[in-house]
């Protein structure tokens, strides 16, 4: 009976991760609508699914309240808590209080799932559950694209591109970046059984990414894979690590100057225009609106309300109708101002540095995961808007990564004084 309950809970976790990834539900409910098609569909099933996940997550947290409370208190992630609280209280000044109330509720609900994920499962168990999740996404994406091309192929972009079980090719591309990271780490982990399965998952993730034609996701994955091997240098002896890092920094600086001077040529060679598909024309307009309410923004989700909201200025001057600024950092400034952006970066960099400390004292490939995911978020948020997005797998895994590194850091701090005390007692006894 106990094993059955464990399997049922793991099944719930995988199902929740699938829904949080944005796979299947919206695509099927919209009837496989294209990017430019305005289709009205009943989204009540999606809302019910998320509500059920919130309820079950809360129940499971209550059943293990001591462990959940231990993670919350012991991690001391004050910046993350403050950011979430700011999103909730932004209903006071929000330009659309009802949207802020709804979005804040879903943000807290999905953040609680991140807490559940890290408090219930070890890092190794988290990886296996993520591998199952992305394995299902990969298999279904091939089925949808080959057997149900109306759903799995996006044909309104000039040429048919794969979108798998997502509503847009960039959705498939973004998830395959995370999938590639998960399978790369599992395949690289020593002593792992059935490593060929993980390398197969990595190869199929790469194939889907290429079939999706998502250039930005492919570029992000290239950087992340290079970062994975660069992070290994951090574990080398200092006399070797320091000269190597200096050499890498010099090469990186040279590449940066070259790319800065040849950005237009490089973008044209990969089929991209210098405006990054209109982003560089959109961003100045967004910045104009940020400076109208720079400190606390327009409220969480309070800006993009079409022609009836402050976003009308963007739509009128941009010549098209975006629903987000195509930058996670600008989106955060619109929602919660420079205060929200500052809280995020303070928490991000503290967790990032603690991730380096954690990784330095470990030989396991799994312990690179928090750094890998946070690096991906940092890069992807330059051109994508899902930084502080509720009901998002990216945000959930960020919350879990922050809790993980904070817990490891606090344990190390609390453990070292005990080791010194024991060492002092041993010395005293020997005298």
């Amino acid at each position: 009976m106990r094993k059955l309950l464990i399997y049922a809970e793991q099944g719930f976790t995988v199902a929740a991760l699938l829904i949080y990834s944005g796979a299947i539900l919206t695509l099927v409910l919209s009837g496989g609508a294209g990017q430019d098609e305005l289709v009205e569909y009943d989204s009540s099933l999606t809302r019910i699914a998320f509500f059920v996940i919130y309820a079950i997550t809360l129940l499971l947290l209550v059943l293990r309240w001591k462990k959940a409370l231990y993670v919350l208190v012991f991690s001391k992630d004050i910046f993350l808590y403050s950011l979430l609280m700011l999103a909730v209280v932004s209903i006071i000044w929000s330009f659309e209080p009802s949207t802020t109330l709804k979005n804040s509720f879903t943000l807290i609900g999905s953040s609680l799932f991140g807490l559940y994920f890290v408090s219930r499962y070890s890092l190794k168990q988290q990886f296996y559950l993520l591998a199952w999740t992305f394995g299902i996404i990969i298999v279904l994406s091939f089925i949808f694209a080959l057997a149900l091309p109306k759903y799995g192929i996006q044909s309104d972009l000039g040429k048919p591109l794969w979108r798998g079980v997502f509503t847009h090719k960039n959705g498939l591309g973004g998830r395959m970046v995370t999938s590639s990271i998960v399978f790369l780490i599992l395949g690289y982990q020593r002593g792992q059984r059935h490593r060929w399965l993980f390398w197969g998952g990595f190869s199929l993730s790469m194939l889907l990414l290429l079939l999706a034609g998502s250039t930005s996701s492919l570029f992000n994955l290239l950087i992340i894979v290079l970062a994975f091997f660069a992070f290994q240098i951090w574990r080398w002896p200092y006399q070797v690590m320091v000269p190597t890092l200096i050499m890498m920094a010099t090469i990186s600086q040279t590449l940066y100057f070259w790319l800065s001077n040849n950005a237009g040529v490089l973008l044209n060679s990969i089929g991209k225009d210098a405006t990054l598909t209109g982003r560089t024309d959109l961003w100045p307009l967004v910045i104009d609106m940020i400076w109208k309410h720079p400190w606390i923004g327009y409220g969480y989700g309070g800006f993009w309300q079409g022609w009836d909201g402050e976003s009308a200025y963007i739509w009128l001057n941009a010549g098209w109708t975006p629903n987000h600024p195509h930058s996670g950092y600008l989106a955060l400034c619109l929602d919660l101002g420079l205060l929200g952006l500052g809280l995020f970066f303070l928490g991000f960099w503290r967790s990032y540095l603690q991730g380096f400390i954690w990784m330095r004292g470990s030989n396991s490939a799994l312990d690179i995961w928090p750094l890998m995911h946070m690096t991906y978020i940092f890069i992807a948020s330059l051109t994508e808007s899902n930084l502080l997005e509720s009901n998002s797998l990216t945000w959930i895994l960020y919350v879990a990564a922050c809790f993980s590194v904070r817990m490891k850091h606090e344990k190390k701090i609390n453990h070292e004084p005990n080791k010194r005390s024991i060492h002092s007692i041993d010395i005293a006894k020997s005298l």
Side-chain angles (χ1 to χ4, degrees), residues 98 142 179 290 300 330 336 384:
S98 60
F142 276 103
S179 175
I290 288 173
Y300 185 54
L330 294 181
L336 303 176
E384 300 297 334

Side-chain angles (χ1 to χ4, degrees), residues 157 159-163 168-170 172-173 206-218 270 272:
L157 299 174
K159 59 179 180 179
L161 294 169
W162 285 36
R163 63 181 177 184
H168 194 274
K169 69 179 185 70
N170 289 337
L172 177 62
M206 287 283 293
L207 178 59
L208 283 174
L209 185 54
L210 293 171
L211 291 171
S214 179
T215 309
S216 58
S217 295
L218 188 60
I270 59 176
K272 292 287 184 179

Side-chain angles (χ1 to χ4, degrees), residues 226-239:
L226 291 175
F228 174 76
F229 293 103
F231 289 152
Q232 307 286 343
I233 299 172
W234 190 252
R235 292 170 166 169
W236 293 0
Y238 285 110
Q239 59 268 31

